[in-house]
Amino acid sequence: MNIIRTQAVELSCIPAIAYKQKLAAGGAGLKLYRLDSDDTAVFTIDRRTGDAVPFGPHNKLKLFPEEALQEALELTKGLPYSARGKIEVKGFSTLPAEPEDVTEDLVDAIDMVDSEEYEAIVSRFSDEKGKLNYQLMNKDFMQFAAKSKVVSEMLGNRSAEEAILLFIIKSRATFLSGKKQSLEDSQVAALIETLDEMETRSAFKELKAWIRRQLAK
């Protein structure tokens, strides 16, 4: 069974690895594994601040100092999700089960990780380290919006900012993936949420600011 998570990264300040994953209740979580024992720590990531909050009663936080937590957050920032297998640390038996709120399979939910649109965006805008380049992505989407007649009409009609954002992302994602049929609005919202989680910020912050500037003219 696969987990929707990033690749695992190795920490330098303690013998441990970490990855970011999707949570069944929504949002992102961070999991750290010690390499010199079978201890783990699980955190949820606050959507507003990007801070990691301890999750569950079994965390041995003394084994995972703040320095290690911050390094894990930085190393996983911008890494894309994909369906990956469980981590197995050599030398130890089966690791503790995932907490109930941590998903291992989101096939039945509105999840865009396996969608062609998500894969096209990650492929096009990832850097040499495999991290999503948010600046490049926003620049591309803003260039598309600036040339779109439909966007121009929506701005002229003072359409809602959210409606304009959804149209831009829906249209551009459809083009990048080479598909003819566009996503539903709920799927676009799920796509945006997934991209937000990868860097714990607004994935389209610059695009949103551009829309607001155009509406203010």
Side-chain angles (χ1 to χ4, degrees):
M1 183 178 291
N2 289 328
I3 305 170
I4 304 300
R5 65 173 178 84
T6 68
Q7 68 184 55
V9 296
E10 186 172 2
L11 307 186
S12 61
C13 58
I14 62 171
I17 58 176
Y19 60 75
K20 190 185 294 181
Q21 66 189 96
K22 291 186 72 68
L23 303 180
L30 187 71
K31 188 155 189 177
L32 282 69
Y33 292 87
R34 294 284 305 205
L35 297 176
D36 54 356
S37 70
D38 59 359
D39 296 300
T40 65
V42 181
F43 302 83
T44 58
I45 299 177
D46 189 292
R47 296 188 183 189
R48 296 179 298 104
T49 65
D51 294 336
V53 181
F55 176 86
H58 305 300
N59 285 340
K60 296 183 179 179
L61 298 181
K62 291 183 179 180
L63 298 176
F64 300 91
E66 181 66 19
E67 181 184 6
L69 179 58
Q70 293 304 316
E71 183 180 13
L73 286 170
E74 182 62 30
L75 290 177
T76 57
K77 183 188 297 181
L79 287 177
Y81 286 137
S82 61
R84 298 172 182 268
K86 288 185 177 181
I87 293 289
E88 292 186 7
V89 179
K90 187 176 181 180
F92 295 97
S93 57
T94 304
L95 291 167
E98 302 284 350
E100 291 182 2
D101 283 348
V102 177
T103 183
E104 292 187 352
D105 193 349
L106 292 180
V107 174
D108 295 330
I110 298 179
D111 181 64
M112 300 304 294
V113 172
D114 291 327
S115 70
E116 294 177 52
E117 290 83 0
Y118 172 83
E119 292 177 357
I121 288 173
V122 168
S123 176
R124 186 178 182 92
F125 302 115
S126 290
D127 60 22
E128 65 278 1
K129 295 181 180 180
K131 294 191 173 186
L132 193 66
N133 186 323
Y134 281 75
Q135 183 177 12
L136 181 62
M137 180 179 70
N138 275 268
K139 181 179 179 180
D140 180 276
F141 279 68
M142 285 188 290
Q143 288 177 339
F144 161 77
K147 297 176 182 178
S148 170
K149 292 182 179 179
V150 176
V151 172
S152 179
E153 292 176 358
M154 295 180 77
L155 291 170
N157 294 330
R158 294 296 185 267
S159 298
E161 177 185 331
E162 183 67 18
I164 298 173
L165 177 69
L166 287 175
F167 173 80
I168 293 171
I169 296 175
K170 178 188 297 187
S171 300
R172 191 59 178 156
T174 299
F175 175 81
L176 292 174
S177 64
K179 296 177 66 176
K180 295 182 179 179
Q181 185 174 355
S182 298
L183 296 171
E184 300 290 336
D185 285 353
S186 59
Q187 293 174 308
V188 178
L191 176 62
I192 294 173
E193 181 178 358
T194 297
L195 294 171
D196 284 348
E197 291 171 5
M198 288 163 55
E199 198 169 347
T200 61
R201 67 162 202 167
S202 173
F204 293 99
K205 181 178 180 180
E206 291 84 359
L207 176 58
K208 291 178 181 178
W210 180 87
I211 294 173
R212 287 192 291 270
R213 289 196 302 271
Q214 302 309 308
L215 286 172
K217 290 182 177 179

